Amino acid sequence: MLNEKEMTAANASVGAEARQSSQHNDIITESAEKSKSLDEDLKAYQKEMRRQFDPAYLKTVTMPDLYNSVFERQHGLIEGLLPRGTYLFVGSPKVGKSFMMAQIAYHISTGTPLWNYKVRKASVLYFALEDDYPRLQQRLYQMFGTNEAEDLYFATHSKKLGDGFEEQITGFIKEHPSTGLIIVDTLKRVRESTGEYSYSSDYDSVAKLKTIADSRKVSMLIVHHTRKMPSKDKFDMISGTNGLLGAADGAFVLSKKNRTDNAATLDITGRDQQDMRLKLTRDTDKLIWILDSVETELWKKPSEPLLEKVAQLLTENVSTWTGTATELCEAINADVKPNTLTQKLNVNAGRLYDEYGIKYENTRSHEGRKISLTHDSA
């Protein structure tokens, strides 16, 4: 009996040691695999860095790269009228450009709708470089009375492009991170005094302003003049060469048939903007512009049934969802491949949030890719 017990105990001990040894070996193997994976990742990273620092390196992306990326939503300041970007605002002298700039600046800084268009509230920096403070005071009082806009800032002096103007804007945005619009009235006042006016110099002047706006993720309106020679195409009347419009994201042209008329036409074109024509009338008392009609109806994106299915997945009781693309296909009963579903959501992430209030994230970990959906109410 004693021998049997001793043997049983010994066998149990051996079995426990064997299991512990096996577990220990599994941990070592797993640790080694992780170490190997990290080492491979480090080598791949170092290889990519060497490639990028090669003088012959050219950064490119493939179409799948684009579809597999989720980019920040480009929100316009005035829905359907002023997308994010850098735009020329052009008109003949004394046509009412500065009054229009003040009106746009006021509505954006207060977040109140402009005519029939929804406005996204943001701070505004207005370089009123052809005015002084007394004139600004009288103009604003005539237009808006004592209804103040605390997020509307004016400057009547600035430095030139390439000589401190960029730094002035950067400094202002650091102090006012809610800045969404910068108005430069006029281009001539901030342009470098080179004496050369060619396609190249025109393009470079606007391109530098666009670089500032793009890097700071703000919109910019650049006030400029039309030339005297008439043209059937309103945008051919922009004073200077085509380099100005070529470098900008688009342009607004404010024009009248006669200088004494209160009626005007506002023509709009742009990369991210449909061509539009607005008929305006100027209020003779307040000197604000009133919208009479729009010749072009706003273009609307076609419906995307997939987004509606995703939105239906989240309810008042279920405000978050996390899983793989395959699991999401099953959850919404989508007749598409998981990869196709992911690409559609990557491209339409901004639209999913704007129309349904659902934040979309697509992350990768050692376990694979995961999709996360979160409703704003969560």
Side-chain angles (χ1 to χ4, degrees), residues 342-362:
T342 300
Q343 290 181 340
K344 281 178 172 286
L345 290 176
N346 288 344
V347 173
N348 291 285
R351 186 174 177 183
L352 183 64
Y353 182 77
D354 288 344
E355 295 183 11
Y356 299 98
I358 296 175
K359 297 176 184 176
Y360 163 81
E361 289 184 344
N362 184 359

Side-chain angles (χ1 to χ4, degrees), residues 67-68 304-307 309-310 313 321 323-349 360 362 371 373:
Y67 282 8
N68 289 323
E304 180 57 80
L306 183 67
L307 299 185
K309 285 187 175 183
V310 171
L313 186 64
W321 185 93
T324 65
T326 301
E327 291 169 340
L328 183 56
C329 281
E330 294 173 355
I332 64 174
N333 194 27
D335 188 23
V336 295
K337 294 180 179 179
N339 184 53
T340 302
L341 172 71
T342 300
Q343 290 181 340
K344 281 178 172 286
L345 290 176
N346 288 344
V347 173
N348 291 285
Y360 163 81
N362 184 359
I371 290 174
L373 303 168

Side-chain angles (χ1 to χ4, degrees), residues 4-64:
E4 289 179 3
K5 288 180 179 179
E6 287 176 349
M7 290 178 66
T8 302
N11 289 336
S13 176
V14 170
E17 287 176 359
R19 285 194 299 272
Q20 289 175 0
S21 176
S22 176
Q23 291 172 357
H24 183 65
N25 290 336
D26 288 344
I27 292 172
I28 291 175
T29 302
E30 185 179 348
S31 177
E33 288 176 352
K34 286 184 178 179
S35 177
K36 182 180 179 182
S37 177
L38 289 172
D39 188 51
E40 289 175 350
D41 289 346
L42 179 60
K43 287 181 179 178
Y45 174 77
Q46 291 172 338
K47 182 180 179 181
E48 180 62 21
M49 287 299 98
R50 287 194 296 270
R51 188 172 77 95
Q52 291 188 21
F53 281 106
D54 187 328
Y57 170 72
L58 174 65
K59 183 177 180 180
T60 61
V61 295
T62 65
M63 192 170 177

Side-chain angles (χ1 to χ4, degrees), residues 7 52 110 118 184 198-199 207-208 232 238 242 249 258 267-270 291 301 316 325 337 342 350 378:
M7 290 178 66
Q52 291 188 21
T110 57
K118 186 188 296 184
V184 180
S198 61
Y199 181 96
K208 286 177 181 178
K232 290 183 179 179
I238 298 173
N242 289 334
D249 291 307
N258 299 300
D267 289 277
I268 307 169
T269 192
L291 177 65
K301 290 184 178 180
E316 293 182 2
K337 294 180 179 179
T342 300

Side-chain angles (χ1 to χ4, degrees), residues 60 63 82 97 120 127-128 132 136 157 159 183 237 289 313 335:
T60 61
M63 192 170 177
L82 179 59
K97 299 185 300 296
R120 176 170 165 259
F127 286 98
D132 55 25
L136 283 172
H157 297 85
K159 296 180 179 179
I183 298 173
M237 294 178 62
W289 290 100
L313 186 64
D335 188 23

Side-chain angles (χ1 to χ4, degrees), residues 124-261:
V124 179
L125 172 58
Y126 185 172
F127 286 98
L129 304 178
E130 293 189 340
D131 292 309
D132 55 25
Y133 290 136
R135 185 182 293 119
L136 283 172
Q137 182 192 66
Q138 291 300 315
R139 179 183 301 160
L140 295 168
Y141 180 73
Q142 186 170 3
M143 296 177 73
F144 310 112
T146 56
N147 296 319
E148 300 173 348
E150 293 182 355
D151 292 320
L152 176 52
Y153 300 85
F154 295 91
T156 56
H157 297 85
S158 76
K159 296 180 179 179
K160 297 274 189 179
L161 268 170
D163 190 28
F165 184 67
E166 297 92 328
E167 290 76 8
Q168 286 183 320
I169 290 178
T170 299
F172 178 86
I173 293 176
K174 283 182 179 179
E175 291 182 7
H176 308 279
S178 62
T179 301
L181 176 65
I182 296 171
I183 298 173
V184 180
D185 189 359
T186 62
L187 174 62
K188 175 70 175 177
R189 294 281 181 158
V190 300
R191 195 171 186 178
E192 297 162 290
S193 303
T194 61
E196 178 192 0
Y197 294 99
S198 61
Y199 181 96
S200 178
S201 65
D202 282 349
Y203 188 97
D204 288 346
S205 294
V206 175
K208 286 177 181 178
L209 290 169
K210 176 173 165 55
T211 298
I212 297 171
D214 289 349
S215 64
R216 301 304 169 198
K217 298 180 180 179
V218 298
S219 292
M220 186 177 289
L221 285 172
I222 306 167
V223 180
H224 189 51
H225 299 298
T226 53
R227 58 184 174 85
K228 292 182 179 179
M229 189 179 297
S231 172
K232 290 183 179 179
D233 186 339
K234 295 290 182 70
F235 301 99
D236 284 341
M237 294 178 62
I238 298 173
S239 180
T241 70
N242 289 334
L244 294 174
L245 184 55
D249 291 307
F252 297 73
V253 177
L254 184 66
S255 59
K256 294 180 178 180
K257 287 185 177 180
N258 299 300
R259 183 177 294 276
T260 57
D261 285 349

